[in-house]
Amino acid sequence: MDSLLAASARALAAGDPLGALRRVALRDDPPALALRGIAMAQLGDYPLARDLLKRAARGFGAHEALARARCVVADAEVALAMRDLGGTLRALQTAAAYLASHGDAPNSMLARLIVARRLLLMGKLDATAQAIDEVPHSDIPARLVAVHALIAAELALRTLRVDDARHALGRARSAADTAGVPALRAEIDGLHDVLTRPAARRWQRGSEQTVSIEAAAALVHSDTLVIDACRRGVGTGNVWRPLARRPVLFTLALTLARAWPGDASRERLIAEAFHLRRAEDMDETHRARLRVEIGRLRTLLRGIADIDATAAGFALRPCGRAGSTSEPDVAVLLPPIDGERASLVALLADGAAWSTSALALALGASQRTVQRALGDLQAQGRVRAIGLARARRWMAPPLTEFTTILLLPAGWAFG
């Protein structure tokens, strides 16, 4: 590597893309193209960055497989910034293994961190935990140590382990101070602010109040029976029963919890669970179906709550934890923002430009469903579109007054 390329690489490592471009902007050899691509990515021109990186990868010869692997890693990082979540991770994982086998530990770690960040973005929390545990920690630059700690902190927040998140943020801040990269410090400060912003609303005994993510975590892990409308499940202590894929059962549990300590009428349960708008539409088939669904809910909640039949309908009765002397209580954890599109708004709130295909992958929904939801949100002025046709991307203003982290996709039955 000549002196100009070396100086440009040092400038990029220090977070100075303009300084790097001053040295290689007029060069078209593959190493210079790769450095120009990374610089353009740091400046936010992602399409041009990907084009330069692909040209660089094609320009390297058969004997320069190490340089091509580095281009693959850089292109994958830009794709993640563009929220291009299509395709598989096979090429990136192959590049990581090749880099590690040839002594390039920093770029190998970067590739593994990109894998972990993509898994986290798509809500695959158990796979993310495995990915960051497999990342080596020896002979690694401080900036990558900070990124690793940031991923660990966000994973801890998404699984309501607030103390672990604080420790990870402390490690990230220390590494970022050593690295001296302002963008890393800003990202750490932003994630630290999540701990103090309102993250949900707690409804308990007829009153409602906003709570931070720390208070939400304390509630979820307490003896209280919690119907979590953010993550769509029911839990108490370390017991968690997911209901994200069983919307009728979750609606019944939520309606019963809102009526506690009283009972919910059969008419109300039928209207809420089966989306009936008029009382005259109810017939005996709805009552029969309600009995079936209540039986399924009883089975699912066995050990943490019972459902008693009353003259008017049904009543929820929490069992309480074994050995506990306190009276069982019931609480509902509601999203900080209302509406069926809350998870979609939460994904868009990061300020990045998302494609509908990437949103569909992250939410586990069909692309057509996401398109309809985006159309509704755009009509309400809550999102905006940029670009046309296949290049169209969707954005929403960052929601600075509260955090939407509990609304993000989660594929891990924590607890």
Side-chain angles (χ1 to χ4, degrees):
M1 182 181 290
D2 60 45
S3 59
L4 285 177
L5 292 177
S8 178
R10 286 194 297 269
L12 288 175
D16 180 17
L18 294 178
L21 286 174
R22 279 198 296 268
R23 296 170 173 85
V24 296
L26 300 179
R27 294 177 53 168
D28 285 327
D29 52 303
L33 286 173
L35 293 173
R36 284 169 58 191
I38 296 170
M40 295 311 299
Q42 291 187 6
L43 291 172
D45 192 344
Y46 299 137
L48 178 58
R50 296 197 73 180
D51 179 64
L52 290 168
L53 288 167
K54 291 181 186 300
R55 286 172 56 192
R58 290 194 299 267
F60 287 115
H63 62 288
E64 297 173 302
L66 195 63
R68 283 205 309 274
R70 290 168 181 160
C71 287
V72 169
V73 174
D75 181 62
E77 187 172 23
V78 178
L80 185 67
M82 293 178 67
R83 298 299 187 259
D84 182 0
L85 306 181
T88 67
L89 295 171
R90 187 176 304 167
L92 184 57
Q93 292 167 335
T94 301
Y98 186 85
L99 291 166
S101 66
H102 286 74
D104 191 349
N107 281 308
S108 175
M109 180 179 182
L110 176 59
R112 297 180 189 280
L113 290 177
I114 293 170
V115 171
R117 287 167 61 195
R118 176 173 165 173
L119 292 170
L120 181 62
L121 199 61
M122 297 179 67
K124 299 179 180 179
L125 306 187
D126 48 353
T128 304
Q130 181 179 355
I132 61 174
D133 286 343
E134 293 174 353
V135 173
H137 298 279
S138 58
D139 301 324
I140 301 301
R143 59 186 177 84
L144 295 182
V145 174
V147 173
H148 180 276
L150 267 173
I151 298 171
E154 185 172 349
L155 177 63
L157 285 176
R158 300 268 300 269
T159 52
L160 295 180
R161 294 178 290 114
V162 179
D163 288 341
D164 291 346
R166 290 186 187 278
H167 294 152
L169 282 173
R171 296 196 306 272
R173 192 180 300 279
S174 176
D177 290 340
T178 303
V181 179
L184 271 177
R185 294 191 186 121
E187 191 170 353
I188 292 166
D189 291 340
L191 193 57
H192 189 271
D193 290 343
V194 167
L195 295 172
T196 56
R197 293 182 201 154
R201 294 171 293 149
R202 183 181 65 192
W203 190 95
Q204 195 167 14
R205 294 182 179 272
S207 64
E208 182 180 304
Q209 67 180 105
T210 59
V211 294
S212 66
I213 196 167
E214 190 166 11
L219 177 66
V220 167
H221 293 111
S222 68
D223 292 340
T224 301
L225 179 69
V226 179
I227 287 75
D228 190 343
C230 298
R231 295 171 177 269
R232 299 274 172 162
V234 180
T236 179
N238 292 324
V239 181
W240 175 253
R241 305 288 166 79
L243 291 171
R245 296 186 181 275
R246 307 186 75 172
V248 172
L249 297 189
F250 177 76
T251 302
L252 290 174
L254 183 61
T255 306
L256 290 168
R258 281 189 172 277
W260 188 87
D263 59 355
S265 68
R266 290 175 176 82
E267 290 74 17
R268 180 184 172 189
L269 290 168
I270 290 172
E272 294 287 342
F274 308 145
H275 304 288
L276 294 184
R277 297 183 179 180
R278 298 181 303 176
E280 53 267 28
D281 291 338
M282 297 183 190
D283 55 32
E284 196 57 37
T285 61
H286 293 108
R287 294 177 180 274
R289 185 183 174 193
L290 176 63
R291 290 193 293 270
V292 171
E293 298 296 347
I294 287 290
R296 289 171 176 165
L297 186 59
R298 277 197 185 106
T299 302
L300 190 136
L301 298 183
R302 186 174 296 152
I304 61 175
D306 294 324
I307 301 175
D308 296 334
T310 66
F314 296 92
L316 186 67
R317 182 165 57 84
C319 296
R321 189 181 297 188
S324 175
T325 58
S326 60
E327 182 182 353
D329 203 355
V330 175
V332 178
L333 203 60
L334 298 168
I337 52 179
D338 290 318
E340 297 180 355
R341 319 298 189 192
S343 293
L344 186 56
V345 173
L347 282 174
L348 293 171
D350 64 357
W354 288 72
S355 65
T356 54
S357 59
L359 289 168
L361 281 171
L363 293 171
S366 71
Q367 193 167 342
R368 183 62 188 138
T369 299
V370 171
Q371 288 170 344
R372 286 195 297 266
L374 289 170
D376 293 342
L377 291 171
Q378 186 180 31
Q380 299 168 17
R382 299 172 67 181
V383 301
R384 62 188 179 92
I386 55 175
L388 297 172
R390 300 176 70 89
R392 171 165 288 194
R393 296 294 183 270
W394 295 87
M395 302 178 67
L399 305 173
T400 56
E401 68 273 17
F402 54 80
T403 175
T404 56
I405 198 163
L406 291 181
L407 297 174
L408 296 176
W412 192 8
F414 62 92

